[in-house]
Amino acid sequence: MVDTAKNIDLTDEEAMVEFQNGNAGAFDLLLKRHGSGLLRFIMKMTLNSKSNAEDLFQEVFVKVIEHRKKYDGNKKFTTWLYSLARNHCIDYLRTKKNKQNFSLDVSFSSGGTNGPVTLETLESKERNQEEILIDKEIKFQINLGVGQLKEEFREVFLLREVEFLSLKEIAEITQVPLSTIKSRLRYAYNNLRDVFIKAGFFDLKKKPERGVEKSYGM
Amino acid sequence: MECKRIEGFLIDYIHDDLGPAENELVRRHLLECQDCTKKSKEYEQISKIFEEQAQTQPDPKVLDNLSKIARDELERNNPPFWKRWFYFPILVPALSSIIAISAWIYYENQNLIYSPDETFYSRDVMAKKIPLNEDPNLPEIQEETVSNLESRSGRVLSDRPNPASLPDTGKKSRIQEEAINTDETAPVKEMIARRDVKEVDKSSEYKDDLFDKFETKPLNRPVPKQDTAAEDESIEVGMLAEGTLEEKADQEFREHKGKTQRAGSYSSSESTYKYKLNLALKQKKEGNCEASIKTNEELLKASPPPPDSVKEISYLSLAECYEKEGEWENAIINYRNLQKAAPDQTDFAKEKIKYIRQQTRLLKK
């Protein structure tokens, strides 16, 4: 990576304009700022492993490079970036038709545990092991819940809860009215809640509160 | 009914996106409704658990690869400045036009130096390059005229530099010089001519012939070597053509002077010499020897010094003026100067000096 110190004070929009004018360092800055969030979004949106998601991630940023002249400096960069990413993910999902064959979180599946971890199993372990398993269970539940959402609800939920975009920005990215975004978000929350209730997620959360001072941060 | 309405606000409530009134409405409802409170807390947990999702960093190789792609793309679309400048399409015709216009202006200015008004310049320049015997435009009679004029004026020009090899002095200047030479040497030849009085009758015939040709043909050609046998004839012509030729040359010189000035500084110093010399000769002819002496002395002191051809005439004129005035010593000095300026006039000068000394001796007796 090239030194981005010279461009560190630039906003996303200014950095993109700089990149349009031939400043490669500005692109590096944008990559550094949004690489992690975008990769996470792609992973959850396409329900792919990290390595597969990185291919898509790279393709999205190649689009950013190739279509840099189309970027309007008056618009927010994240809106433009996530529009490209969202469209690319939808194209990918439609092309592969792998909605049903998604692999859930790779870290979970490669962790030596096959299938969901039951509450009974958790309760029989020691404390540290119990925490690790709870973390894995939570991850699994999250991915399960998100994976069960339809694309239109999932993208809205991920953009809102993972990437912290405003409802207005999400409306721009998805090109649907703001009211529709709100209802989709509510629908996504309800669906996830149902999934988590069925999986006993909220009961699981209560246990550490009672016995162990443990946050669910991962 | 109330719960369903409040449920629509719950997500915005946990994100703190509601207005004050709606926020208060939801808060009050949650205080009263257990189900909605529970649901709100569950929403909060969902939101929090996603917020706390660890960030997944892309592989550094992927980032490096993307950075390289970006640089390659920028380089491909933004070639170096000199390349962009060189291939900028409008520059090619623009630069070509500028070069063409510059060349045209340059050559146009070059041509202006030899404008049609100054054709005699061009001819003089050409005269340098085309030998006399190869010039197809040179009429035979012209050579004959010059030959006659010079041979009959008593001047022995064989040792003088060929005018074609001289700096460009202009046609008229050359005419004037010849006329002056003719005029100036005539009195000297007159004395020699006294020894051969029988040829005098022929002079009027030569004179008429000379002026007819002089008026119709320009004298702008190098002079062929003079046959010394013609010296006797030239004495009479010099005597008779004296005043007339001088006037004509003077007039033509003045007409030409304006053109010469327009043409720039070309041979300006030579023109000045000729003008002063002519003035001195005119003053001498009018009998104003003092003024003539003064003019000649100014001419000889000029810087840069005049050419030998001018000095020769000037010294001769001075010597004669002093002789007229009876200042024998000054006359002898100037005849000696004449020898230095024109070695071919040595015999003549010695003869004059000898004559003056004889005269002074006689006067003393």
Side-chain angles (χ1 to χ4, degrees):
Chain A
M1 290 289 285
V2 180
D3 181 29
T4 55
K6 281 190 286 185
N7 306 306
I8 200 78
D9 294 333
L10 296 175
T11 63
D12 290 346
E13 290 71 31
E14 288 169 345
M16 189 59 202
V17 172
E18 280 287 303
F19 177 51
Q20 283 179 328
N21 294 331
N23 183 354
F27 175 77
D28 294 337
L29 180 73
L30 293 171
L31 201 58
K32 194 176 176 183
R33 280 182 186 169
H34 298 284
S36 176
L38 193 74
L39 179 63
R40 190 176 53 197
F41 173 76
I42 291 170
M43 280 174 69
K44 295 199 180 301
M45 187 68 195
T46 58
L47 306 169
N48 252 326
S49 65
K50 187 184 172 188
S51 58
N52 287 341
E54 275 178 344
D55 292 341
L56 292 170
F57 168 83
Q58 190 160 315
E59 287 165 13
V60 170
F61 267 105
V62 168
K63 275 190 176 180
V64 170
I65 294 166
E66 287 174 350
H67 299 166
R68 65 187 182 281
K69 296 287 179 190
K70 292 180 182 172
Y71 171 69
D72 178 4
N74 296 322
K75 290 188 176 177
K76 207 171 177 187
F77 173 71
T78 46
T79 307
W80 184 68
L81 176 66
Y82 279 97
S83 295
L84 290 177
R86 176 245 183 194
N87 292 335
H88 195 68
C89 288
I90 288 172
D91 288 345
Y92 169 81
L93 292 171
R94 285 177 187 167
T95 307
K96 298 291 179 183
K97 295 181 180 175
N98 62 350
K99 286 181 187 178
Q100 304 303 320
N101 300 325
F102 59 84
S103 67
L104 297 174
D105 188 58
V106 172
S107 62
F108 180 79
S109 59
S110 62
T113 307
N114 294 321
V117 181
T118 61
L119 294 176
E120 292 77 12
T121 312
L122 286 170
E123 285 169 352
S124 66
K125 301 291 181 184
E126 291 180 8
R127 187 183 160 198
N128 287 339
Q129 287 176 330
E130 188 180 335
E131 285 176 8
I132 292 166
L133 285 172
I134 288 169
D135 287 347
K136 287 184 178 177
E137 173 63 15
I138 289 168
K139 269 192 177 181
F140 176 80
Q141 293 297 338
I142 288 167
N143 289 325
L144 182 67
V146 171
Q148 284 182 347
L149 291 173
K150 285 186 177 178
E151 282 174 27
E152 58 265 33
F153 305 121
R154 187 160 69 227
E155 69 183 9
V156 172
F157 180 80
L158 290 174
L159 290 171
R160 179 66 180 157
E161 300 302 334
V162 178
E163 305 307 328
F164 313 113
L165 300 181
S166 69
L167 293 176
K168 195 179 169 187
E169 284 177 305
I170 296 168
E172 275 185 46
I173 290 167
T174 55
Q175 295 180 326
V176 291
L178 188 63
S179 57
T180 309
I181 295 296
K182 282 185 178 179
S183 67
R184 283 182 182 180
L185 185 62
R186 195 164 60 244
Y187 183 88
Y189 262 99
N190 282 332
N191 270 17
L192 280 172
R193 180 171 165 264
D194 290 346
V195 170
F196 289 160
I197 287 171
K198 281 180 188 171
F201 173 78
F202 298 115
D203 296 333
L204 187 69
K205 189 176 178 295
K206 284 173 189 172
K207 273 195 174 182
E209 282 175 355
R210 284 197 303 266
V212 184
E213 291 178 9
K214 166 79 175 75
S215 75
Y216 286 92
M218 285 183 271
Chain B
M1 188 67 185
E2 180 69 9
C3 288
K4 203 171 183 182
R5 187 181 160 219
I6 294 297
E7 193 185 340
F9 293 122
L10 275 181
I11 294 168
D12 288 336
Y13 177 77
I14 61 169
H15 289 130
D16 205 14
D17 282 344
L18 289 175
E22 291 163 328
N23 199 48
E24 183 61 21
L25 181 71
V26 174
R27 195 183 64 80
R28 283 185 182 176
H29 178 78
L30 291 179
L31 289 173
E32 297 167 358
C33 180
Q34 291 286 325
D35 289 342
C36 287
T37 305
K38 187 185 173 199
K39 193 180 269 184
S40 171
K41 284 183 178 174
E42 287 168 353
Y43 281 171
E44 273 184 61
Q45 286 176 23
I46 292 169
S47 179
K48 192 177 177 184
I49 204 74
F50 276 96
E51 278 178 27
E52 290 171 351
Q53 283 275 298
Q55 295 229 338
T56 309
Q57 291 296 333
D59 192 332
K61 286 181 183 175
V62 173
L63 297 179
D64 286 343
N65 190 33
L66 281 169
S67 185
K68 188 174 178 297
I69 291 169
R71 276 164 177 74
D72 291 346
E73 181 73 11
L74 287 174
E75 195 173 330
R76 193 165 58 85
N77 290 343
N78 297 295
F81 171 75
W82 65 268
K83 219 171 182 179
R84 274 182 284 161
W85 181 86
F86 185 77
Y87 288 110
F88 197 48
I90 193 72
L91 283 178
V92 176
L95 284 175
S96 305
S97 305
I98 289 167
I99 291 167
I101 290 168
S102 304
W104 181 76
I105 290 169
Y106 175 77
Y107 285 110
E108 194 68 13
N109 287 338
Q110 290 287 310
N111 290 337
L112 280 174
I113 295 170
Y114 301 107
S115 64
D117 289 344
E118 313 299 337
T119 49
F120 39 86
Y121 271 16
S122 304
R123 289 172 64 183
D124 283 347
V125 170
M126 290 300 289
K128 275 184 171 180
K129 296 176 182 174
I130 301 175
L132 179 65
N133 54 2
E134 290 178 14
D135 189 350
N137 299 322
L138 183 67
E140 286 299 318
I141 194 164
Q142 189 175 353
E143 282 189 42
E144 188 186 339
T145 305
V146 176
S147 176
N148 286 339
L149 175 66
E150 301 225 350
S151 65
R152 287 159 198 174
S153 70
R155 300 299 308 272
V156 180
L157 298 171
S158 57
D159 294 331
R160 297 189 62 200
N162 190 330
S165 64
L166 287 172
D168 297 339
T169 56
K171 177 178 70 175
K172 305 301 180 184
S173 299
R174 177 65 191 158
I175 292 167
Q176 186 217 10
E177 187 183 349
E178 294 302 327
I180 289 166
N181 290 341
T182 306
D183 171 49
E184 193 57 28
T185 54
V188 179
K189 305 303 176 190
E190 186 181 359
M191 293 188 297
I192 301 166
R194 284 176 190 148
R195 294 180 300 186
D196 197 1
V197 181
K198 63 181 179 181
E199 294 294 335
V200 172
D201 292 339
K202 293 180 181 176
S203 61
S204 59
E205 179 187 338
Y206 287 132
K207 181 189 169 190
D208 294 340
D209 183 37
L210 172 70
F211 279 105
D212 288 342
K213 291 172 181 175
F214 183 79
E215 283 174 2
T216 53
K217 300 292 176 185
L219 301 177
N220 191 27
R221 287 296 156 194
V223 181
K225 287 196 172 183
Q226 172 69 26
D227 184 3
T228 50
E231 186 177 338
D232 290 345
E233 289 181 359
S234 67
I235 297 167
E236 290 78 21
V237 173
M239 287 163 58
L240 296 171
E242 180 183 354
T244 319
L245 269 179
E246 182 192 352
E247 283 172 11
K248 184 126 188 106
D250 187 33
Q251 184 187 350
E252 291 194 8
F253 170 70
R254 286 178 182 173
E255 285 172 1
H256 169 62
K257 193 184 168 193
K259 291 181 181 177
T260 308
Q261 284 172 345
R262 280 203 310 276
S265 61
Y266 171 76
S267 72
S268 60
S269 57
E270 284 199 26
S271 298
T272 311
Y273 300 146
K274 307 282 181 187
Y275 178 76
K276 281 199 171 182
L277 185 62
N278 202 37
L279 179 66
L281 294 173
K282 200 170 184 181
Q283 287 165 338
K284 184 183 141 220
K285 188 187 167 191
E286 287 167 358
N288 190 357
C289 281
E290 282 183 17
S292 179
I293 288 166
K294 195 178 174 187
T295 309
N296 271 320
E297 283 177 346
E298 283 174 5
L299 172 63
L300 290 166
K301 285 175 187 171
S303 179
D308 284 349
S309 59
V310 175
K311 279 183 182 175
E312 178 189 349
I313 301 163
S314 186
Y315 283 133
L316 181 61
S317 174
L318 265 175
E320 287 174 350
C321 282
Y322 281 127
E323 198 178 341
K324 273 188 185 176
E325 292 289 311
E327 296 181 29
W328 308 112
E329 289 303 319
N330 283 337
I332 290 168
I333 289 167
N334 280 290
Y335 278 123
R336 281 178 182 155
N337 289 336
L338 173 64
Q339 287 179 55
K340 289 176 192 169
D344 59 323
Q345 299 292 337
T346 306
D347 293 342
F348 166 72
K350 281 181 179 175
E351 194 176 333
K352 284 297 293 181
I353 291 166
K354 190 178 172 185
Y355 172 76
I356 289 166
R357 283 180 178 155
Q358 283 175 358
Q359 291 294 317
T360 49
R361 264 186 245 122
L362 286 171
L363 283 171
K364 283 177 184 175
K365 286 177 183 176

